[in-house]
Amino acid sequence: MADFTAKLVLAPMVRIGELPTRLLALKYGADLVWSPEIVDRKILTCERVYNKDLDTVDFLSSKGNKKIPGVTDLVFRTYRKLEKDRLIFQMGTANPELAVKAAKIIVKDVDGIDINAGCPKHFSIHSGMGAALLSTPDLLCSILTSLVEQVGKPERKPISVKIRLLEEKKDTLDLVVRLVKTGITNLTVHFRTREMRNREDPIRDYLDDIHKICKENNVSLIVNGGIRNYDNYKEIQSKYGSDVGCMIASAAERNVSCFRSQGQLNWPQVAKDYIETATRYNNHPSNIKYCLLRMVPGTASIHPVLNGLKESEEMRDALINIMGDDGEVKAGRDDITDDSRKRRRDVVENVDKRIRVNEECRV
């Protein structure tokens, strides 16, 4: 059974947290990794398929785009040889019965089920899911209790939940008291309110109070919000307790080697590691590009080159053969730099704005 205590973990991030990023996070030192949030109704459309070519377990949607079978209809993929005992599946739900049905489909191929009750974005809160559950604590507790009793205990898999702070300290602590009595194994708290954005400092004024409630109920606590790297994780433990875990989101999106105890690698090496992993596991080209354009600084000359590519092998060629170790286009590639100069100016002008908007979606 997955153990959450004192762990440094990769946050659930839509689009970012697919298999390649999770595998790199584990390679670089993460103890556990979260899948992106997937809604219960989407899981219910899926068929479990063993992918013999990749040695992965794939969940393919019967209602998905069948243009490229196994790629365009892919909802979730796991490589159990590396993710076993370390993969937590995050579910979006607002219905105890649907949550249980969906969890039963996925639970044997993951190592825990986590309920998203913290993301404030529309893709999470529609139909009462995500941070909307903070306003319906009875429903949230019912979902967790149902999962614990009908899935967690029979399958010997932990059930956990991720929340944000409420506006008032008392209301937050009252909610935590209720949640830890549902039978969950772990509570992750993003120490910002629903209205706060990631550029704002997290509120840790009563982290000790939440930690105490968790310890009294044998529930582990993971701190989310403003955690940047391994050293920051150790600082949090030194201040709040050696049994406290930490979850990294935005920093891992930019450089997933932030989990390294020896210090993070330079982004060009991480980008190369990422493209090798992503192509090895046949990740969708649009998702590869999405992730790379968040790893590669907009000021790097390779950025507009990547921005103009569509195919996985083209992106791999650009990073392996066109980009130097410093992240810039190699000397002698004037044909590429000349062709991409205008795109580069446009990208540089907009990259900071795009990153800010994207970070606001990170939970």
Side-chain angles (χ1 to χ4, degrees):
M1 180 181 290
D3 181 9
F4 297 80
T5 306
K7 297 300 191 290
L8 180 60
V9 309
L10 176 71
M13 293 185 283
V14 173
R15 299 187 73 179
I16 295 294
E18 301 295 346
L19 181 60
T21 302
R22 301 198 309 268
L23 292 182
L24 280 188
L26 293 172
K27 172 184 175 179
Y28 292 139
D31 298 306
L32 299 172
V33 291
W34 262 243
S35 77
E37 176 198 21
I38 301 178
V39 174
D40 50 14
R41 292 183 184 276
K42 188 69 172 180
I43 302 168
L44 292 173
T45 71
C46 289
E47 175 188 4
R48 181 189 186 275
V49 176
Y50 171 66
N51 187 325
K52 65 179 185 301
D53 294 329
L54 302 179
D55 194 21
T56 59
V57 175
D58 297 352
F59 288 83
L60 308 180
S61 175
S62 61
K63 297 182 179 180
N65 182 343
K66 300 298 181 180
K67 182 178 180 179
I68 308 176
V71 177
T72 54
D73 57 351
L74 179 67
V75 173
F76 178 66
R77 169 173 288 159
T78 174
Y79 183 55
R80 298 304 291 156
K81 286 184 178 178
L82 292 181
E83 293 193 288
K84 184 174 173 55
D85 297 327
R86 301 195 285 180
L87 173 61
I88 309 302
F89 183 88
Q90 190 179 71
M91 185 190 303
T93 187
N95 184 302
E97 292 183 0
L98 290 181
V100 168
K101 288 179 180 178
K104 286 181 177 179
I105 291 173
I106 208 86
V107 69
K108 292 185 184 299
D109 295 295
V110 299
D111 306 293
I113 303 290
D114 183 74
I115 295 303
N116 177 5
C119 181
K121 292 300 175 180
H122 177 72
F123 62 78
S124 285
I125 65 172
H126 75 285
S127 302
M129 299 183 292
L133 287 169
L134 298 175
S135 301
T136 55
D138 290 343
L139 174 58
L140 176 55
C141 289
S142 176
I143 290 169
L144 296 173
T145 301
S146 296
L147 285 169
V148 168
E149 295 299 325
Q150 299 179 52
V151 181
K153 289 181 179 179
E155 298 292 340
R156 297 182 58 80
K157 298 288 178 73
I159 306 300
S160 61
V161 63
K162 186 172 187 290
I163 67 169
R164 282 191 176 228
L165 300 178
L166 298 174
E167 289 295 333
E168 301 296 330
K169 172 182 176 180
K170 181 180 182 304
D171 294 335
T172 300
L173 296 182
D174 287 347
L175 176 62
V176 170
V177 168
R178 294 191 63 182
L179 295 177
V180 297
K181 295 186 182 302
T182 61
I184 59 172
T185 300
N186 178 76
L187 173 69
T188 300
V189 181
H190 185 155
F191 281 86
R192 296 184 177 97
T193 65
R194 176 174 170 172
E195 289 72 27
M196 292 174 67
R197 294 296 175 257
N198 287 3
R199 59 180 174 271
E200 299 178 72
D201 291 336
I203 301 169
R204 297 178 183 149
D205 299 350
Y206 47 98
L207 192 159
D208 283 328
D209 297 288
I210 295 175
H211 185 207
K212 180 181 179 182
I213 295 170
C214 288
K215 288 184 70 173
E216 289 174 348
N217 290 273
N218 198 31
V219 172
S220 58
L221 173 66
I222 292 179
V223 175
N224 179 220
I227 311 299
R228 301 178 300 279
N229 51 40
Y230 179 88
D231 288 344
N232 195 203
Y233 152 66
K234 300 308 289 186
E235 291 168 4
I236 293 290
Q237 287 190 324
S238 176
K239 184 172 183 178
Y240 296 106
S242 59
D243 62 328
V244 172
C246 285
M247 175 177 280
I248 304 181
S250 297
E253 176 184 28
R254 292 188 293 269
N255 189 324
V256 71
S257 72
C258 60
F259 293 99
R260 281 169 44 95
S261 60
Q262 310 94 321
Q264 69 183 35
L265 301 171
N266 292 330
W267 69 261
Q269 180 59 57
V270 176
K272 289 180 179 181
D273 285 352
Y274 175 82
I275 194 64
E276 294 287 17
T277 305
T279 53
R280 160 70 178 83
Y281 291 99
N282 198 26
N283 206 44
H284 196 289
S286 66
N287 186 254
I288 293 176
K289 183 174 179 177
Y290 180 89
C291 294
L292 282 175
L293 291 181
R294 278 141 187 83
M295 294 181 199
V296 178
T299 53
S301 59
I302 197 65
H303 192 291
V305 176
L306 291 170
N307 200 41
L309 302 177
K310 293 183 179 180
E311 301 301 325
S312 303
E313 286 304 319
E314 292 177 327
M315 288 181 267
R316 182 181 183 279
D317 179 66
L319 292 174
I320 302 301
N321 299 318
I322 297 173
M323 183 181 75
D325 293 339
D326 60 355
E328 298 299 322
V329 171
K330 291 179 181 178
R333 300 301 305 228
D334 290 341
D335 55 324
I336 294 174
T337 55
D338 289 343
D339 182 58
S340 63
R341 188 172 292 117
K342 183 180 184 300
R343 285 202 308 270
R344 183 183 182 187
R345 287 199 302 268
D346 293 340
V347 168
V348 171
E349 289 174 359
N350 291 293
V351 68
D352 288 338
K353 178 180 179 181
R354 185 172 65 248
I355 289 175
R356 285 197 302 271
V357 170
N358 184 63
E359 285 185 349
E360 290 179 357
C361 294
R362 298 290 149 244
V363 296

